[in-house]
Amino acid sequence: AQRVTQPEKLLSVFKGAPVELKCNYSYSGSPELFWYVQYSRQRLQLLLRHISRESIKGFTADLNKGETSFHLKKPFAQEEDSAMYYCALGFHMDTGRRALTFGSGTRLQVQP
Amino acid sequence: EAQVTQNPRYLITVTGKKLTVTCSQNMNHEYMSWYRQDPGLGLRQIYYSMNVEVTDKGDVPEGYKVSRKEKRNFPLILESPSPNQTSLYFCASSPAGTHEQYFGPGTRLTVT
């Protein structure tokens, strides 16, 4: 079965410190992976998708198929990065249903 | 502005009183879905729709109904709400051929 695991519920760092939010997935097919961010009292927004290999707001994420990981990284955290981060796996089921399975989320707190 | 809207944003109701949460998108997306977000559980898909008049169950469909009579609208219906349906609900839409989803602002529902 498809599964996304985010092992940390909370990650607290100081401003300027490096950040790594962990995400591991379980999927037998070819994965499509995303990071979504939810700032306080706002809707979820797409932050990154692995197929575009882009850097948004200084964040990057590399798909490691050998380790089945898609960790989110930023070299220098900013206070405005404080938010809830969700890793998500996109896949198709046998029925044709397009599904997006989310991890349980990691709250990032960046302290001044 | 391209967006997904939900109404109401906040709702407090009593057990057994039927309610509908509306969802509308103006991006001509084929795919729409409903999620509930609960602490420690992340987002779980309730129902989804691949196009007009095509709906199917997600991971947690019990106690919910949906309809898709028009492409832009995808209401979520709780025929007889119960306290365990107290949650934060998100509607999302997605164009064909991608798992990337655009989320609404959320509806916080409390059932007493």
Side-chain angles (χ1 to χ4, degrees):
Chain A
Q2 299 77 20
R3 188 167 63 239
V4 176
T5 303
Q6 293 180 250
E8 303 138 328
K9 284 189 176 359
L10 172 66
L11 183 63
S12 186
V13 302
F14 287 103
K15 178 181 172 182
V19 170
E20 183 179 50
L21 298 166
K22 290 184 166 41
C23 172
N24 288 90
Y25 67 91
S26 170
Y27 181 50
S28 57
S30 184
E32 188 174 350
L33 286 154
F34 303 86
W35 276 99
Y36 282 83
V37 60
Q38 187 178 27
Y39 300 103
S40 179
R41 299 187 182 281
Q42 294 188 27
R43 69 186 73 197
L44 275 87
Q45 308 169 38
L46 178 67
L47 181 64
L48 284 178
R49 58 180 83 86
H50 89 271
I51 55 173
S52 56
R53 301 182 63 83
E54 56 204 339
S55 173
I56 304 291
K57 300 185 180 183
F59 285 98
T60 59
D62 289 318
L63 176 61
N64 186 323
K65 289 187 178 180
E67 296 181 359
T68 59
S69 68
F70 189 55
H71 303 327
L72 183 68
K73 300 178 184 178
K74 185 169 183 176
F76 308 104
Q78 304 297 315
E79 288 181 69
E80 55 265 31
D81 296 330
S82 295
M84 194 76 177
Y85 290 81
Y86 290 95
C87 183
L89 166 68
F91 63 98
H92 285 91
M93 300 184 73
D94 293 341
T95 56
R97 167 188 163 194
R98 190 193 318 161
L100 197 61
T101 293
F102 287 85
S104 55
T106 298
R107 181 168 298 284
L108 175 63
Q109 283 182 350
V110 181
Q111 301 182 53
Chain B
E1 180 191 354
Q3 61 181 344
V4 179
T5 57
Q6 295 178 228
N7 281 293
R9 295 290 311 281
Y10 302 91
L11 180 59
I12 300 174
T13 189
V14 296
T15 299
K17 186 175 180 184
K18 181 179 178 179
L19 65 91
T20 299
V21 183
T22 64
C23 171
S24 183
Q25 51 94 5
N26 62 3
M27 296 171 279
N28 202 36
H29 287 168
E30 287 81 9
Y31 188 91
M32 297 185 75
S33 61
W34 277 101
Y35 295 87
R36 58 178 289 173
Q37 183 182 38
D38 301 291
L41 296 176
L43 283 91
R44 294 178 292 169
Q45 192 179 50
I46 303 170
Y47 265 94
Y48 67 98
S49 169
M50 296 177 74
N51 215 322
V52 175
E53 301 291 2
V54 181
T55 65
D56 208 345
K57 298 176 181 178
D59 298 314
V60 287
E62 294 78 19
Y64 304 95
K65 284 175 57 176
V66 292
S67 69
R68 187 94 182 272
K69 293 184 170 54
E70 305 164 283
K71 198 171 188 178
R72 62 182 292 127
N73 296 323
F74 190 46
L76 179 70
I77 303 154
L78 284 73
E79 295 270 5
S80 183
S82 62
N84 64 12
Q85 293 178 298
T86 292
S87 187
L88 179 58
Y89 291 87
F90 287 100
C91 180
S93 72
S94 176
T98 175
H99 286 100
E100 179 183 336
Q101 298 200 17
Y102 296 76
F103 284 84
T107 295
R108 187 167 292 281
L109 172 65
T110 302
V111 183
T112 61

